[in-house]
Amino acid sequence: LQTRLQAGQGYGNTLSCLLTVYRNESVAGFFKGMSFPLASVAVYSSVVFGVFSNTQRLLSQLRHGDPAHPPALADMLLASTLAGLVSVGIGAPVDLVKIRLQMQTQSYTAADPRLKPTVPGSPVYRGPVHCFRTVLQKEGLTGIYRGAGAMLLRDVPGYCLYFIPYTLLCDWSVPEGGASPTPSSVWLAGGAAGAISWAVATPMDVVKSRIQADGVHLSKYRGTLDCILQSYQSEGFKVFFRGITVNTVRGFPVSSATFLGYELSLKAMKRGQSETSP
């Protein structure tokens, strides 16, 4: 729904988009392009969270001589920025494949593959691997990283407003003298951080989705700034908030589960280390 609302045409609002996808593509239409994100989400999250936490620990070690010292706001800001930078290197190709497949409103087998598709929605890719290989062959490495600039402008502030609100909300929820936040506090703080982050990131998410969907049948946008200008001139300022409801509503449970899983995993690993230590 998010991709169709942001990069597609004629869907109107979220409910209209949902009904149109279901009517034309059945339930399977809601799961297009999910295999690449599912295959890579564990590595992606591990790297992003690892960069964030290890950068904080390194900065605390350099500043205070103790990696466990609570980080300053500036340290969290730098750690979040680095996490956002790293996320683009892993996430841009995955997002490109996902969006290209999601923008195919027809299945590949429904058309004659000998005919060259010329209109938006025509089937071009047989699946995620075929999509990745085709883009790499036709557009090169720059094609795989199409939209990386817009993604960078989305993820750097997005992760700053993801990790920092989460950390502050968790600190606020811990009672005086408490060691760590409760699972319910982590769940709530993670969900709130995810909703905030995605709400703020939506304008650049729209630009990223449009650039990555571009280039299949024709190249409409010359870059991030050109996409912003063309989108604004043709559809007005409101275009940059397409999909904000889906992003925000989805961001809460996804981020809640992500942070809760992260914190519980850390506790389990620390418990295991303490039990095996002599």
Side-chain angles (χ1 to χ4, degrees), residues 2-3 6-7 44 87-88 91-100 102-103 144-155 198 201-214 221 223-225 227-228 231 240 247 250:
Q2 170 208 13
T3 300
Q6 292 179 342
Y44 177 86
S87 72
V88 176
V94 175
D95 267 18
L96 180 108
V97 171
K98 180 192 73 170
I99 285 174
R100 291 285 177 94
Q102 288 176 341
M103 289 304 293
I144 290 295
Y145 280 90
R146 179 188 288 268
M151 189 174 184
L152 192 68
L153 294 173
R154 182 198 72 172
D155 282 5
W198 273 110
T202 293
M204 288 312 302
D205 191 44
V206 172
V207 176
K208 180 198 72 72
S209 296
R210 292 189 162 208
I211 293 174
Q212 290 183 326
D214 190 37
Y221 306 116
T224 302
L225 182 58
C227 180
I228 293 172
S231 298
F240 300 111
N247 274 345
R250 180 197 63 179

Side-chain angles (χ1 to χ4, degrees), residues 100-116:
R100 291 285 177 94
L101 292 174
Q102 288 176 341
M103 289 304 293
Q104 289 190 167
T105 56
Q106 304 172 32
S107 62
Y108 187 86
T109 55
D112 187 343
R114 294 171 298 178
L115 300 177
K116 184 179 180 180

